[in-house]
């Protein structure tokens, strides 16, 4: 998606045809009128003031959710509430939309239909809402930008102005849109608030039923916004229903002090005169100060409702993991929706087009529908035609899902045109052998380290303390199934609509074949994995998840296959490189066991690799490592390689880039931008493997890796502490993003103080929370509703040179979504992009001066049985054509200090850069 930036001077009332200047434009508004016991839909030609009068004056039209005049017959006639609620969820290209999706799926009993704000014409939307009657309510998501900018808000203003007869809830940007649509001004907040919490007061309306109010009440919400509704400009038809309790914001840890609702809550609420508060909000006396730049500070409006329409907005994020009572707000909106339609006609409930809505949804919707349908609510037989005939409007929805969320169409089904390969696995276990033969390092060096370790891999859990990692996987050019995949995006693939590229395949005999992949690398990899058949009994008893398959890296530029609009910079390294590993050695660092595994096709005989490798293992001597230790300290005598690293950006340039990011954040274009740069150094003919062995000694890490692709003159030496995404054989997805880094101390006392400083840093907590919510969103796209959770939030882990703040997010994968689809839904890792992800990546591309290449991508494996484990490529030396490069950066948030951000970026390069310098 391309976007238009609206500067602060544009926070006014631009004319939008059919939306603004409503008095001068006659519009088509729809209402529901009772006729003979059933609902009839018709158009009412009226200006907006007239349309509002229709709602107010006619007791045949259902009133506002807060209660308006209802005829005596409506009140006396018995009605049946809806058993589930069908929501149209408008996605404003946000990275938290699928957190709302997950909540609504659980609460409503049926997943919402997600539609992007520019996906359909207003005519299409009207067709779904009124002709098909497919939805009971609408939720408008958060998003980057401003409601004053048409490119940011899309169809949402039309929904808010013309769908006065459908319940709507706007979140953040959706809340601002509700205000703006009716004449309120959108201004800059006194300061951007992202990933920080506020205590909230409310007026007790139905949206906040069963939720406490006020300071120390326990009602704390997460805020992600730079813009606000100017309360002084609210029109009479919009009523404030919630506001901040004070000017102060809280960090996540601070909020943990107030877990119990205050005993004085009820008495304070009774004493508070809400009419007085509303009046002060309107006349501006709640604002503590005014600023020349058009911002205001003081208590901020956090919720509004329309006086006569069923429309609500909240400025905060009820879907955030750190918001209290967030789920209750969505439950309340569900109940309000049910009450609203209960006032309509009971016959409408039985005639609703259930199959139609369910079929438009993501792959698991039909299964959920069946569960709902058997619960007793009926559907028309005619609606079942969607499954077989794909009616035109339903097909339109399917096409939309394919355009926007193509990863969801990577179902776990092999296309009929592809043949399947049946693989057999053989393995052997050597109990307690690893330490006897010198450990993982010696095993790799002796078995695969000859000839500069060409075409070898090593997923190296060199830091295993505290259970961070357990297994190391290693191997080289193997048996008959071995091959290497080298993929480069084509020039046309710099835009997402043309995402193809050239794939070079080298087989075990050295033969090569080149082909163009029109659908991209992820689609190819998905089909390859689906073509592999196996028997689960082959790997019964193995305690790890990789039994052979693809092992390599995914470069950052493959973001164009995952929804990113474009790549501004072309990578000098391939955009993806993988081996298909049919032979490998596994070291269990907990039990000290060693495993050797070999794959072969079911109709072929086994190679002698298992027996030969087993003999080599037992004959190894630990003393061999001493030779390598002596070699590692040898210096390169050529003076030209003694020079230090050259940075792509000077300190001054990097600081300016941080300031650009801060301005984007202030203008509401992003909540967090993960800015990066690169340092480079010529290293000549140095041995990359020896460099990696030195790096792993100096900076061990749980997700470290070595990869060598000899024909590309490419070696990767990674000491990454961060897991991107993992899928185990039970279908559990896990992400472990890192956000928040500080250097280790020189003494134990200083080290502990620095650790506590990181733990209690409001800035670092905000960074981490934003990315946790982003990863929850990404997992929410492919996980079963209600299964995404955060077992560990903002824990501090310590490594050789730094402390880091780490969180863990998990969820249960939908059974009909493939492994590659899960990766595609979340790539690139949110900790390397910021949020909202798509807008942030586009902004970062415009700021950064070179391609990130392999940095910010992922290294790991895709096992032939569709498990995977991938890291985030950070703290990594990429050696390509005799040049070493190291990427580094940090998350820029509203609380960032530009000078300190530069220092943090340099800190992150220290370990890998020092390893290179010391090695030489």
């Amino acid at each position: 998606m391309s976007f238009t930036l609206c500067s602060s001077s544009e926070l006014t009332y631009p004319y939008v045809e059919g939306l603004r200047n409503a008095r001068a434009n006659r519009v088509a508004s729809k209402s529901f009128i009772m006729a003979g016991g059933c609902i009839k839909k018709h158009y009412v030609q009226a200006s907006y003031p007239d349309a509002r009068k229709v709602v107010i004056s006619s007791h045949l039209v259902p009133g506002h959710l807060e209660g308006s005049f209802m005829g005596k017959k409506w009140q006396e006639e018995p009605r049946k509430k809806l058993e589930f609620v069908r929501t149209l969820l408008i996605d404003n290209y946000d990275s938290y939309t699928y957190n709302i999706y997950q909540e609504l799926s659980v609460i409503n009993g049926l997943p919402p239909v997600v539609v992007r704000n520019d996906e359909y014409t207003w005519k299409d939307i009207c067709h779904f809402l009124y002709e098909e009657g497919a939805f009971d309510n609408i939720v408008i998501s958060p998003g980057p930008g401003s409601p004053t900018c048409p490119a940011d808000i899309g169809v949402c203003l039309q929904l808010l102005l013309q769908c006065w007869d459908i319940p709507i809830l706007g979140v953040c940007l959706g809340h601002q849109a509700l205000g703006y649509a009716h004449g309120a001004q959108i201004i800059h907040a006194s300061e951007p608030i992202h990933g920080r919490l506020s205590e909230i007061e409310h007026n007790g309306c139905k949206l906040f039923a069963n939720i406490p109010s006020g300071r120390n009440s326990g009602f704390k919400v997460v805020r992600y916004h730079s813009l606000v509704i100017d309360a002084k400009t609210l029109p009479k038809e919009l009523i404030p229903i919630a506001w901040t309790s004070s000017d102060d914001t809280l960090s996540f840890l601070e909020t943990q002090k107030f877990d119990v609702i205050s005993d004085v809550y009820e008495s304070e609420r009774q004493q508070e005169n809400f009419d007085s508060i509303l009046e002060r909000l309107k006349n501006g006396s709640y604002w503590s100060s005014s600023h020349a730049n058009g911002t205001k500070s003081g208590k901020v409006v956090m919720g509004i409702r329309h006086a006569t329409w069923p429309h609500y907005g909240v400025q905060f994020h009820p879907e955030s993991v750190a918001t209290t009572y967030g789920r209750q707000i969505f439950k309340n909106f569900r109940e309000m929706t049910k009450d609203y339609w209960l006032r309509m006609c009971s016959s409408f409930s039985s005639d609703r087009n259930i199959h139609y809505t369910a079929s438009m949804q993501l792959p698991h919707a039909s299964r959920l529908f069946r569960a709902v349908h058997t619960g007793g609510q009926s559907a028309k037989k005619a609606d079942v035609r969607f499954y077989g005939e794909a009616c035109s409007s339903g097909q339109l929805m399917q096409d939309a899902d394919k355009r926007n969320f193509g990863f969801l169409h990577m179902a776990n089904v092999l296309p009929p045109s592809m043949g399947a390969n049946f693989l057999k696995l053989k393995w052997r276990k050597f109990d307690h052998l690893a330490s006897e033969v010198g450990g993982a390092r010696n095993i790799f060096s002796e078995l695969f380290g000859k000839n500069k370790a060409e075409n070898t891999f090593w997923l190296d859990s060199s830091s295993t303390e505290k259970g961070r990692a357990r297994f190391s996987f290693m191997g080289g050019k193997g048996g008959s199934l071995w091959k290497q995949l080298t993929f480069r995006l084509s020039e046309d693939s710099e835009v997402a609509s043309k995402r193809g590229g050239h794939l070079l395949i080298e087989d075990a005999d050295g033969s090569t074949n080149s082909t163009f992949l029109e659908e991209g690398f992820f689609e190819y990899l998905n089909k390859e994995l689906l073509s592999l058949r196996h028997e689960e009994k082959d790997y019964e008893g193995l305690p790890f998840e990789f039994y052979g398959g693809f092992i390599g890296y995914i470069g950052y530029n493959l973001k164009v296959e995952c929804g990113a609009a474009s790549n501004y910079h072309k990578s000098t390294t391939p955009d993806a490189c993988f081996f298909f590993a049919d032979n490998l050695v596994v070291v269990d660092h907990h039990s000290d066991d060693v495993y050797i595994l070999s794959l072969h096709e079911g109709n072929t005989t086994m190679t002698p690799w298992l027996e030969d490798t087993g003999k080599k293992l037992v004959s190894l001597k630990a003393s061999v490592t001493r030779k390598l230790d002596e070699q590692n300290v040898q210096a390169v005598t050529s003076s030209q390689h003694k020079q230090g690293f050259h940075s792509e950006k000077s300190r001054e340039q990097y600081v300016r880039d941080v300031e650009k990011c801060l301005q984007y954040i202030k203008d509401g274009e992003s909540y967090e931008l993960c800015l990066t740069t690169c340092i480079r150094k010529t290293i000549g003919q140095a041995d990359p493997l020896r460099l990696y062995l030195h790096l792993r000694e100096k900076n061990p890490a749980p997700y470290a890796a070595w990869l060598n692709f000899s024909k590309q003159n490419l070696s990767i030496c990674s000491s990454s502490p961060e897991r991107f995404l993992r899928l185990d054989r039970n279908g559990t997805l896990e992400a472990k993003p890192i956000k928040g880094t500080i250097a280790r101390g020189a003494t134990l006392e200083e080290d502990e103080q620095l650790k506590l400083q990181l733990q209690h840093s409001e800035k670092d907590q905000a960074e981490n929370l934003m990315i946790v919510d982003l990863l929850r969103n990404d997992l929410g796209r492919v996980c079963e509703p209600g299964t995404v959770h955060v077992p560990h939030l903002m824990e501090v882990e310590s490594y050789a040179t730094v402390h880091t703040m780490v969180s863990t997010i998990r969820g249960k994968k939908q059974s009909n979504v493939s492994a590659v689809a899960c990766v595609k839904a979340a790539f690139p890792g949110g900790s390397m992009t910021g949020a909202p992800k798509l807008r942030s990546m586009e902004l970062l591309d415009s700021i950064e001066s070179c391609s990130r290449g392999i940095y910010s991508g992922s290294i790991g494996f895709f096992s032939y049985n569709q498990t995977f484990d991938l890291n985030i490529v950070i703290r990594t030396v990429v050696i390509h054509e005799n040049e070493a490069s190291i990427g580094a950066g940090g998350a820029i948030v509203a609380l960032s200090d530009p000078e300190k951000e530069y220092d943090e970026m340099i800190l992150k390069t220290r370990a890998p850069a020092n390893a290179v310098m010391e090695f030489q």
Side-chain angles (χ1 to χ4, degrees), residues 644-649 676-683 691 695 699 717-719 850-856 873-880 883-889 905-917:
F645 280 85
H646 166 73
S647 177
E648 288 283 339
K649 295 283 181 77
T676 73
T677 188
C678 182
I679 61 175
R680 305 178 187 278
K681 183 185 186 315
T682 301
I683 62 171
L691 189 156
L695 174 64
N699 194 48
C717 308
S718 178
S719 58
C850 63
S851 171
R852 297 188 185 184
I854 299 168
Y855 170 67
S856 298
V873 181
I874 55 176
R875 320 289 198 273
T876 296
V877 183
V878 176
I879 303 172
H880 184 227
E883 180 185 67
S885 63
I886 301 170
M905 182 273 292
I906 292 298
L907 169 66
K908 292 173 179 176
T909 67
R910 185 176 300 166
N914 286 347
V916 174
M917 298 302 294

Side-chain angles (χ1 to χ4, degrees), residues 776-850:
R776 290 175 59 236
N777 172 87
D778 291 349
L779 266 63
R781 292 180 167 195
V782 293
C783 285
E784 296 286 355
T787 66
V788 178
H789 61 289
V790 184
H792 306 288
L793 184 60
M794 301 184 196
E795 296 184 345
V796 174
E797 295 184 355
S798 300
Y799 294 90
T801 60
V802 295
H803 299 294
T804 62
M805 187 179 287
V806 186
S807 295
T808 303
I809 304 99
R810 293 188 185 128
K812 183 73 171 180
K813 181 184 76 69
Q814 297 171 27
S815 60
N816 58 348
V817 175
S818 71
V820 176
C822 295
V823 175
K824 196 173 178 183
F827 187 83
S831 62
M832 303 307 296
T833 64
K837 184 186 283 187
L838 297 182
R839 176 69 60 89
S840 295
M841 288 192 293
E842 193 162 356
L843 293 171
L844 290 166
D845 262 9
S846 71
I847 297 171
E848 296 174 0
S849 58
C850 63

Side-chain angles (χ1 to χ4, degrees), residues 210-473:
N210 302 311
I211 298 174
S213 174
R215 303 191 71 170
N216 299 337
S217 69
F219 184 27
K220 298 157 291 192
V221 303
V222 176
R223 297 166 60 186
Y224 295 113
H225 65 100
S226 302
L227 308 176
V228 295
I229 293 175
D230 185 353
K232 290 178 67 176
T233 66
L234 281 171
K236 62 182 180 181
E237 59 263 38
L238 293 182
I239 301 173
I241 57 175
W243 45 90
T244 53
S245 295
S246 70
D247 300 350
D248 300 327
T249 60
L250 304 169
S251 67
F252 173 74
L253 284 182
E254 285 180 298
T255 67
Q256 304 311 296
K257 302 173 185 176
F258 308 109
D259 288 334
V260 180
I261 296 176
S262 171
D263 292 334
V264 300
Y265 158 63
E266 285 298 334
S267 61
E268 284 182 350
R269 184 178 176 188
Q270 291 169 4
Q271 295 170 9
E272 186 66 80
N273 185 332
F274 286 112
D275 291 336
S276 174
I277 291 175
L278 296 182
E279 182 61 30
R280 282 183 286 159
L281 280 167
K282 292 276 189 169
N283 65 31
S285 61
Y286 250 40
W287 305 119
S288 59
S289 61
S290 297
H291 302 277
N293 64 358
T295 66
K296 291 184 173 68
S297 63
K299 294 193 175 183
V300 180
V301 174
M302 286 284 113
I304 58 175
R305 71 171 175 87
H306 195 282
T308 57
W309 301 357
H311 293 181
Y312 289 77
V314 290
Q315 177 63 79
F316 57 87
H317 284 241
E319 81 285 357
S320 172
V321 70
T323 291
T324 60
Y325 298 98
R327 177 165 290 187
Q328 185 63 45
I329 290 172
F330 289 120
K331 286 181 178 179
N332 290 341
F333 186 58
R334 175 198 65 191
E335 292 306 308
M336 293 157 69
T337 299
K338 288 183 176 182
D339 289 342
Y340 180 85
W341 294 115
L342 183 61
R343 298 171 188 177
M344 297 296 288
C345 175
S346 59
S347 64
F348 182 73
S349 174
S350 63
D351 288 345
R352 295 187 314 155
N353 196 333
I354 304 168
H355 273 300
Y356 175 85
T357 309
S359 302
M360 293 191 298
Q361 189 43 262
L362 307 177
H364 65 287
S366 58
R367 174 174 47 78
L368 287 177
F369 165 73
R370 285 192 294 273
V372 171
H373 182 47
T374 56
Q377 194 158 338
S378 63
K380 290 182 178 179
K381 290 183 179 180
D383 295 328
V384 182
R385 71 189 177 90
F386 180 90
Y387 290 98
E389 300 174 17
C391 64
S392 59
S393 51
Q395 187 63 52
L396 189 63
M397 276 293 193
Q398 285 188 322
D399 292 342
D401 279 345
K402 191 171 184 179
R403 286 197 305 274
N404 286 331
F405 307 109
F407 53 86
L408 293 172
H409 290 262
M410 290 183 171
N412 262 333
V413 179
L414 181 66
S417 60
M418 289 190 63
N421 297 318
F422 185 74
L423 301 183
K424 292 292 294 180
L425 175 69
K426 297 293 184 182
W427 55 274
R428 291 179 60 187
K429 177 184 176 184
F430 299 85
D431 294 330
H432 313 301
L433 179 66
S435 58
E436 295 180 11
V437 296
R441 169 180 167 152
N442 198 41
I443 293 172
F444 181 85
S445 298
E446 289 300 300
L447 294 183
F448 309 109
K450 305 297 189 297
N451 301 317
K452 296 186 178 181
E454 291 185 351
N455 300 316
T456 58
F457 62 87
W458 183 6
L459 302 184
D460 178 18
S461 297
S462 56
S463 173
T464 59
E465 62 270 22
K466 299 182 180 180
R468 291 173 185 159
R470 177 176 172 181
F471 302 101
S472 291
F473 305 91

Side-chain angles (χ1 to χ4, degrees), residues 41-63:
K41 289 167 280 193
H42 72 282
Y43 288 93
V44 178
Q45 292 292 333
S47 66
Y48 284 114
D50 293 337
R52 288 196 289 271
K53 289 177 184 176
V54 170
V55 182
I56 296 170
S57 62
S58 175
H59 61 265
L60 295 179
V61 177

Side-chain angles (χ1 to χ4, degrees), residues 582-602:
D582 53 356
N583 296 328
L584 66 149
V585 176
V586 184
V587 178
D588 185 340
H589 297 284
H590 286 191
S591 65
D592 206 36
D593 298 332
V594 179
Y595 298 80
I596 55 176
L597 296 81
S598 185
L599 275 174
H600 66 100
E601 290 186 301

